[in-house]
Amino acid sequence: MPTYAVFTLVAYFLFFSSSGAWAANQKSTTALLVDKKTNTLILAEYTNGEYKTIKTYHATLGQVKGDKEAEGDLKTPEGIYTFKARLTPPTLKPKFGSMAFYVDFPNTYDKIAGRTGRDIMFHATNEPDRLSKNYDSQGCVVVKNEEIEEIRPHIRLGLTPILIFHELSPEFLKPGQDPSLKGFFESWIKDWETKQSDGYISHYHTDFTAKDKNRSQWKTYKEGLNKMYSSIQIGPEDVRYYIHPKYSMITFTQNYRSKLKGGGWGHRSRGTKILYIAEEAGEPKIIAETYTELMW
């Protein structure tokens, strides 16, 4: 894996009890895997840390081969993404067929890397002849109308990932069975909950950024919270690991609880967090993280 390879941990956390014990949640989810080398889209079930193929489809991709770098380069991006919106006619233009899903490119990692672009979609088409070609889109992933209708029930906006590979090799098919990533994640949680600020910040990349804070500012921010609170609990649920040559991703439902030193609750929230983890000096490090609060 290259030096700047990133593990994006798309995790819904495992249940973490007040005593600190982990309990694995085995419910399955789905994912879409795109192999650009073979123009294949795989609808897969993610269960017990690995992908199991449900069905495969031919995918028409960007007119220009390679990883997307800039707006208008006609390339399909490579990485791990989620879907942020679904459109259907009459809102959707006829050329996109019966349905389209917007992909969240550029995501947080792409922005750090300086990649630009917009309106990358997974969509159908009203011109069936286009699907006989391997490369005929402006950077999107295109399938037949009936195929996207078949896939639609398996997609949950903001949750279901689509992983786009230059070449999908076997080493990426069991992302949740990598003990080093699990160990990294559990160590991060432990240091956060026990308020070990040096250990906690050691999990972060030197180029880390979140909430307009760099790594040093993030440490200062967290140390301030540690002084306020007598205890912190993260309460992770449903961890999922997704690995890619560029980066991998965890999205988790985070159940944050803190108590003030003087008594009473400090802060309570529930939301989805995504960790983008880049390799630095041969070790996984968090290069960015995002958090979206959920309704109770």
Side-chain angles (χ1 to χ4, degrees):
M1 190 169 288
T3 301
Y4 225 62
V6 178
F7 302 97
T8 314
L9 310 172
V10 186
Y12 299 113
F13 279 96
L14 312 174
F15 175 75
F16 196 81
S17 73
S18 59
S19 64
W22 294 89
N25 187 328
Q26 295 299 321
K27 64 184 179 183
S28 63
T29 56
T30 53
L32 299 182
L33 311 175
V34 177
D35 186 339
K36 293 174 72 174
K37 185 175 182 180
T38 62
N39 289 86
T40 301
L41 183 145
I42 301 171
L43 172 63
E45 180 182 42
Y46 182 112
T47 184
N48 295 323
E50 65 180 296
Y51 302 115
K52 296 184 178 179
T53 299
I54 298 172
K55 192 169 181 178
T56 61
Y57 307 86
H58 173 269
T60 296
L61 304 173
Q63 295 171 26
V64 178
K65 295 182 181 180
D67 189 7
K68 187 169 186 64
E69 297 288 341
E71 171 72 18
D73 65 10
L74 302 180
K75 298 177 182 179
T76 300
E78 297 169 13
I80 305 172
Y81 302 97
T82 58
F83 300 102
K84 59 184 181 179
R86 178 172 70 93
L87 296 180
T88 55
T91 305
L92 185 66
K93 294 179 180 179
K95 69 177 183 178
F96 297 121
S98 64
M99 192 179 305
F101 291 88
Y102 275 96
V103 175
D104 68 338
F105 176 90
N107 63 18
T108 301
Y109 178 75
D110 292 317
K111 292 174 183 177
I112 291 173
R115 295 184 175 88
T116 61
R118 59 187 175 87
D119 294 343
I120 298 297
M121 295 187 289
F122 169 51
H123 66 81
T125 178
N126 64 347
E127 301 177 55
D129 289 347
R130 290 184 61 198
L131 297 170
S132 64
K133 304 174 184 178
N134 287 334
Y135 306 101
D136 193 52
S137 80
Q138 294 183 328
C140 300
V141 178
V142 188
V143 296
K144 299 176 181 177
N145 284 333
E146 58 268 28
E147 291 174 338
I148 204 166
E149 294 284 355
E150 188 174 85
I151 295 168
R152 181 193 62 79
H154 297 278
I155 294 177
R156 297 175 64 192
L157 296 180
L159 296 175
T160 302
I162 178 168
L163 295 88
I164 306 174
F165 296 85
H166 168 70
E167 179 179 4
L168 178 55
S169 57
E171 65 187 292
F172 300 107
L173 296 178
K174 297 182 179 182
Q177 297 181 15
D178 186 332
S180 65
L181 290 183
K182 288 185 176 182
F184 172 83
F185 177 72
E186 293 173 10
S187 173
W188 174 69
I189 291 290
K190 180 180 178 181
D191 284 340
W192 189 358
E193 292 199 321
T194 57
K195 302 191 291 181
Q196 302 296 317
S197 59
D198 288 339
Y200 171 83
I201 205 65
S202 72
H203 292 82
Y204 286 79
H205 197 283
T206 54
D207 292 333
F208 170 80
T209 180
K211 294 184 178 180
D212 296 322
K213 293 178 175 63
N214 61 26
R215 185 177 186 269
S216 177
Q217 293 167 331
W218 190 254
K219 182 183 181 184
T220 300
Y221 166 66
K222 289 294 184 177
E223 286 176 335
L225 295 178
N226 289 345
K227 291 177 181 178
M228 290 174 53
Y229 300 139
S230 62
S231 66
I232 296 173
Q233 291 182 320
I234 309 307
E237 299 173 358
D238 299 332
V239 179
R240 294 292 184 266
Y241 300 92
Y242 299 96
I243 300 174
H244 189 276
K246 288 169 60 178
Y247 60 90
S248 309
M249 196 163 94
I250 296 179
T251 311
F252 54 93
T253 300
Q254 175 179 291
N255 297 289
Y256 186 95
R257 302 285 187 278
S258 63
K259 289 188 176 180
L260 296 169
K261 289 185 175 180
W265 289 107
H267 181 72
R268 304 169 68 183
S269 66
R270 175 178 171 83
T272 299
K273 179 168 283 184
I274 296 178
L275 303 179
Y276 297 83
I277 305 184
E279 191 173 288
E280 184 174 40
E283 299 290 336
K285 301 289 181 180
I286 301 168
I287 196 168
E289 59 182 69
T290 64
Y291 177 79
T292 304
E293 188 143 1
L294 300 173
M295 298 295 293
W296 285 89

